[in-house]
């Protein structure tokens, strides 16, 4: 500042600004005038210096022009306030934070512009128009005009730029909410983005293309709430509704349109109301622009109050009436606003800032009432009855303080200024940094979820399944399928078993049929339902080893039982599918997923499946036991599981008992008083999870020794690329003079073909009769025309878990299969049908029926613990394998009455393999097999 008076005024202003940083002090209207008329121009220069200094300090300043158009001083003052509603008027080179917004003032301007656009005689008298019935409705005329303006002032920046369509104040947030909702619903991010974009386009169309009297979401805007709740307008509401509710758009719109008509009428009539309404809207907008606890903390980021400077306060620019209106409005309202006004006035105009007491209005009582009604809006101000304007601080400046010092130096006075924490922490840059970090974090999380789980969105995942890696490095989906998870999506060819397909159904067909059946069960309103989980191997092996054929066939049996139950019983059966991966190598993780899901679903009564005997089988069974879930397996022949776990029930004959029955054949192959060599050929299971093979090798070795064979050293073959390395073993087996007459093969069905090929091509074995004994895994082999075969001079004897032929006459299994299972071309099925011949489907069907029977005793659903107990009371006749009888099953012991068959496979004269049953028992028949019954000489 260049003068002493300027330094004093600047110091006082900076003290006030310093206090504004910590609190909200009342902001006066500072009116400066010279004591001597000759110094009036220096006061004007002082105010101009204040403007330069405040703008340099980062204060948002606006300067009033010397002249303002308008027929009256009040009109000129109103025009001045209207111009102050342009955010660009408050921009400075060093302004902190973003531009001001004036939505309330803009709304008032829009209504005034609409009034100007209407006819000069608007509004017409409602009584005469209504009586004639032909006059337009003034309120509707106003609304139509506002609709044409989109409730915006004429000539605004958006109006001129043609961007009327893009009013994103509420449309864009609503679209972001739509995107967030889509992400939370676990849709993929492209779907979420597409839904948000579609929602945005829809809202823009609704807001612009379709006929509408107001922009969409108008009732949600902050200016609308102020418009309906300010007491300045509410006093003359005439009993009309004034409620605005976020949840009641129709009522809110009606109230807003009614209030707009009242305001338009008052603006049309003129008077002080227009000016004071403009001032009220301006002050409320400025107060809102400095609200500290707003979503963007803008009040903390704007530590300096806005300053309006009027260097030449006069009637020409309406400044004096503006100051009066500011004082009047501040006296009537209860909130403080941040605007600081500094004005320079001539000494001759100082008396105009004082008022004398007005006299009472004359005329009739009716005119007194009209005057009172007008004053309710603009006349009931404290300044009407006071000689002084209470918010005006007049400062007389002596001439000696207005003189420029001899040295001509300028002094700068500024309050201590430092960036607020809100500017640093809650700023656009910080928000951008947080947004980038959040986006990166969400991206990493989304990628992590995508790598871990089978079904994911950007923010969530289906945790009932997860992605695991196979031995070949492929990805498989492990766990229990809920939501939109389909295991067929992770299997090529819709889950059609590669290499060993017998026709029939695919995994995709079964999953679709089971899901449709589940939907019907859940939709039932009476009878209720129980849920069983099928757990099996449903992942393909790209290495060419095992296929999901076993799991697909078992799942077909579970679905068949589900269809029969839901067709004939009142309590429905819902089936969930769980995948243990290739060869069930991830059955422990699968069991954990099933147990976790069952904890939140009381309808889950037990598990069907777990059909492979692995080292992890005990842990998986223990996990299910701890969750209270019984397991009924159709094909797992582990001997130790029923002896170790009370929740384990199996339809498959135990390995030890099976091998003992194969001893009936081995005894017939043994020539008394003659040395016969035998050996066990087994897969090397070191480093694998396979326990079935070890159990078979152990029991086979013991059985052959008990039958008196001279045992050659046990040979173990390895796997390379999922193929058995049998060449060297075949050469050793077929060495001259050491060819064993009996080989117990403890391996998987996938390895029998390569073994036959090697033995059939070794010269030492070409003319030797060799018998190969093996376990129930050979049940899955297909010895029909074009299927698996045996080498010349080799006879294959194996156990099978199901005697289907003898049980066929006592069951409706095949009729039901033709009726309910997908993909069966023929309507007549039998035990010889290739897709059913292995017995996997039949055993899974019977296991499901047994578990369902325990879960629904007396046609009512039971608890999980009751199901466990009830399993030892289950006895079902007419099943696919015979009679399922758990009533004699001892706790931690072996039960009797398993279905079993001993089969012989020979090479026929035409080169094809012929399989026949030597002896068998249907389920429920506990009579022991005899050597005579299982004679190998017949046939």
């Amino acid at each position: 500042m260049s003068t002493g008076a300027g330094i004093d005024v600047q110091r006082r202003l900076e003290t006030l600004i310093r206090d504004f940083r910590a609190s909200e002090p009342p902001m006066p209207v500072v009116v400066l005038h010279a004591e001597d008329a000759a110094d009036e121009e220096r006061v004007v220069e002082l105010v101009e210096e204040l403007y330069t200094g405040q703008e340099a300090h980062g204060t948002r300043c606006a300067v009033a022009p010397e002249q303002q158009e308008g027929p009256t001083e009040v009109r000129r003052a109103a025009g001045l306030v209207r111009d102050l509603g342009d955010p660009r008027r408050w921009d400075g080179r060093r302004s902190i934070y973003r531009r001001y917004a004036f939505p309330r003032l803009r709304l008032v301007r829009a209504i005034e512009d609409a009034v100007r656009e209407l006819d000069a005689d608007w509004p017409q008298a409602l009584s005469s128009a209504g009586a004639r019935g032909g006059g337009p409705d003034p309120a509707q005329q106003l609304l139509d005009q506002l609709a044409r303006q989109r409730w915006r002032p004429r000539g605004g920046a958006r109006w001129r730029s043609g961007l009327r369509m893009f009013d994103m104040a509420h449309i864009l947030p609503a679209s972001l909410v739509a995107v967030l909702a889509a992400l939370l619903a676990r849709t993929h991010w492209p779907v979420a983005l597409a839904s948000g974009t579609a929602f945005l386009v829809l809202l823009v169309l609704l807001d612009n293309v379709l006929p509408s009297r107001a922009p969409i979401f108008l009732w949600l805007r902050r200016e609308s709430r102020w418009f309906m709740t300010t007491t300045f307008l509410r006093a003359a509401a005439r009993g009309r509704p004034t409620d605005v509710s976020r949840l009641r758009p129709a009522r809110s719109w009606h109230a807003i349109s009614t209030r707009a008509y009242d305001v338009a009428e008052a603006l049309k009539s003129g008077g002080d109301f227009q000016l004071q309404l403009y001032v009220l809207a301006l002050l409320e907008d400025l107060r809102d622009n400095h609200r500290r606890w707003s979503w963007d903390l803008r009040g903390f980021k704007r530590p300096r109050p806005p300053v309006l400077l009027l260097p030449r306060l006069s009637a020409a620019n309406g400044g004096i009436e503006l100051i009066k209106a500011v004082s009047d409005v501040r006296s009537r309202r209860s909130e403080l606003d941040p605007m600081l006004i500094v004005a320079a006035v001539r000494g001759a105009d100082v008396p105009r800032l004082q008022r004398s007491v007005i006299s009472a209005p004359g005329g009739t009582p009716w005119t007194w009432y009209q005057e009172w009604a007008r004053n309710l809006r603009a006349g009931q101000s404290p300044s009407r009855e006071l000689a002084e304007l209470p918010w005006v601080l007049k400062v007389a400046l002596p001439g000696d303080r207005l003189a420029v010092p001899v040295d001509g130096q300028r002094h700068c006075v500024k309050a201590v200024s430092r960036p607020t924490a809100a500017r640093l922490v809650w700023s656009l840059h910080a928000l951008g940094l947080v947004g980038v970090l959040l986006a990166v974090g969400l991206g990493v999380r989304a990628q992590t979820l995508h790598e871990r789980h089978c079904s994911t969105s950007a923010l969530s995942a289906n945790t009932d399944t997860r992605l695991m890696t196979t031995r070949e490095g492929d990805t498989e989906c492990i766990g229990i399928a809920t939501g939109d998870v389909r295991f067929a999506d992770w299997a090529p060819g819709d889950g059609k078993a590669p290499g060993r397909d017998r026709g029939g159904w695919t995994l995709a067909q079964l999953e679709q049929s089971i899901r449709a059946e589940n939907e019907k069960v859940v939709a039932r309103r009476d009878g209720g339902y129980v849920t069983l989980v099928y757990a099996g191997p449903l992942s393909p092996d790209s290495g060419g080893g095992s296929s999901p054929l076993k799991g697909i066939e078992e799942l077909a049996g579970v679905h068949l039982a589900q269809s029969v139950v839901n067709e004939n019983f009142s309590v429905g059966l819902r089936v969930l599918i769980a995948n243990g991966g290739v060869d069930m190598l991830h059955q422990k993780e699968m069991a954990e997923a099933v147990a976790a899901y069952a904890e939140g679903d009381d309808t889950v009564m037990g598990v069907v499946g777990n059909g492979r005997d692995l080292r992890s089988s005990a842990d998986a069974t223990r996990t299910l036991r701890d969750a209270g879930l019984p397991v009924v397996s159709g094909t797992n022949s582990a001997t130790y599981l029923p002896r170790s776990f009370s929740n384990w029930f199996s339809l498959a004959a135990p390995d030890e008992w099976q091998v003992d029955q194969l001893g009936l054949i081995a005894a017939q192959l043994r020539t008394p008083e003659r040395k016969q060599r035998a050996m066990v050929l087994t897969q090397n299971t070191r480093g694998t999870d396979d326990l079935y093979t070890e159990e078979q090798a152990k029991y086979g070795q013991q059985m052959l020794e008990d039958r008196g064979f001279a045992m050659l050293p046990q040979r173990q073959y390895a796997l390379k690329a999922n193929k058995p390395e049998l060449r060297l073993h075949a050469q050793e087996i077929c060495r001259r003079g050491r060819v064993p007459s009996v080989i117990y093969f403890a391996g998987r069905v996938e390895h029998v073909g390569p073994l036959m090929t090697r033995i059939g091509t070794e010269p030492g074995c070409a003319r030797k009769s060799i018998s190969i004994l093996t376990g129930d895994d050979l049940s899955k082999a297909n010895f029909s025309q074009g299927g698996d075969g045996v080498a010349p001079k080799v006879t294959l004897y194996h156990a099978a878990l199901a005697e289907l032929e003898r049980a066929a006459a006592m069951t409706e299994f095949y009729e039901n299969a033709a009726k309910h299972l997908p993909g069966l071309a023929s309507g007549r099925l039998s035990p010889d049908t290739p897709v059913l011949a292995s017995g996997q489907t039949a055993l899974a069907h019977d296991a499901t029926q047994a578990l369902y029977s325990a879960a629904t005793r007396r046609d009512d659903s039971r608890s999980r613990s009751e199901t466990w107990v009830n399993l030892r009371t289950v006895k079902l006749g007419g099943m696919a394998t015979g009679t399922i009888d758990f009533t004699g099953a001892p706790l931690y012991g072996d039960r009797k009455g398993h279905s079993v068959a001993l089969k012989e496979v020979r090479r026929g004269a035409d080169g094809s393999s012929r399989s026949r049953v030597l002896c068998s028992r249907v389920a429920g028949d506990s009579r022991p097999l005899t050597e005579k019954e299982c004679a190998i000489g017949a046939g």
Side-chain angles (χ1 to χ4, degrees), residues 197-459:
T197 304
F199 193 66
L200 175 63
V201 172
L202 176 63
L203 291 180
V204 170
L205 290 176
L206 291 175
D207 195 35
N208 294 273
V209 177
L210 299 180
S212 176
R213 293 187 295 174
I216 195 170
F217 302 130
L218 175 65
W219 86 97
L220 295 178
R221 297 181 179 180
R222 52 186 171 174
E223 61 267 28
S224 298
R225 179 164 293 277
W226 166 82
F227 194 54
M228 299 306 300
T229 57
T230 176
T231 56
F232 187 80
L233 298 175
R234 194 181 181 96
R238 300 183 183 180
R240 294 176 177 139
T242 58
D243 295 337
V244 176
S245 172
R246 290 183 175 88
L247 302 178
R248 304 182 68 177
R251 181 179 178 86
S252 301
W253 159 245
H254 181 66
I256 292 171
S257 60
T258 302
R259 177 59 55 82
Y261 179 74
D262 289 341
V263 172
E265 277 190 310
L267 290 175
K268 183 70 174 182
S269 62
D272 293 345
F273 171 72
Q274 178 193 30
L275 174 59
Q276 294 206 1
L277 181 58
Y278 267 139
V279 170
L280 176 66
L282 174 65
L283 297 181
E284 183 63 27
D285 280 332
L286 289 174
R287 189 172 76 90
D288 188 46
N289 280 300
H290 282 267
R291 193 183 305 276
R292 292 173 183 263
W293 298 111
S294 55
W295 70 270
D296 57 349
L297 303 180
R298 50 185 174 268
F300 291 102
K301 300 175 186 177
R302 293 167 174 159
R304 303 179 71 87
V307 177
L308 173 61
L309 297 114
L310 295 93
R312 299 183 186 276
L313 189 67
S314 64
N317 59 8
I320 294 178
E321 289 299 324
L322 171 61
I323 288 178
K324 291 179 182 180
V326 169
S327 182
D328 289 346
V329 170
R330 283 178 171 175
S331 298
R332 292 186 56 181
R333 63 203 298 265
S334 59
E335 298 90 355
L336 296 174
D337 63 80
M339 186 169 68
L340 176 62
I341 301 178
V342 181
V345 65
R346 295 182 305 165
D349 290 331
V350 171
R352 294 196 61 197
L353 297 175
Q354 298 174 347
R355 286 177 174 155
S356 60
V357 178
I358 62 172
S359 59
T364 64
W366 177 248
T367 59
W368 291 355
Y369 178 80
Q370 289 179 323
E371 180 68 10
W372 173 81
R374 285 196 301 269
N375 287 339
L376 283 178
R377 284 183 171 153
Q380 298 297 305
S381 302
S383 61
R384 292 291 187 179
E385 304 295 334
L386 298 174
E388 298 289 339
L389 299 174
W391 288 86
V392 176
L393 175 62
K394 295 189 292 294
V395 180
L397 302 177
D400 59 339
R401 298 292 294 169
L402 290 171
V404 179
V406 178
D407 56 8
Q409 293 184 355
R410 290 177 174 268
H411 297 268
C412 178
V413 179
K414 182 181 180 183
V416 178
S417 178
R418 61 182 181 275
T420 62
R423 285 180 57 195
L424 298 177
V425 178
W426 194 246
S427 64
L428 185 60
H429 297 86
L431 183 62
L433 178 61
V434 171
V436 171
L437 294 177
L438 183 62
V440 172
L442 289 177
V444 172
R445 173 175 170 79
Q447 182 63 26
T448 302
L449 292 176
H450 181 72
E451 293 174 352
R452 291 181 179 178
H453 298 284
C454 308
S455 176
T456 63
S457 67
L459 300 178

Side-chain angles (χ1 to χ4, degrees), residues 93 108 124 147 200 245 275 286 299 347 356 363 372 420 576 622 686 733 736 823 896 938:
R93 292 174 297 174
V108 177
Q124 297 176 351
L200 175 63
S245 172
L275 174 59
L286 289 174
S356 60
W372 173 81
T420 62
L576 295 179
R622 186 178 298 107
R686 187 181 299 111
I733 292 172
R736 187 178 302 275
K896 298 180 179 180

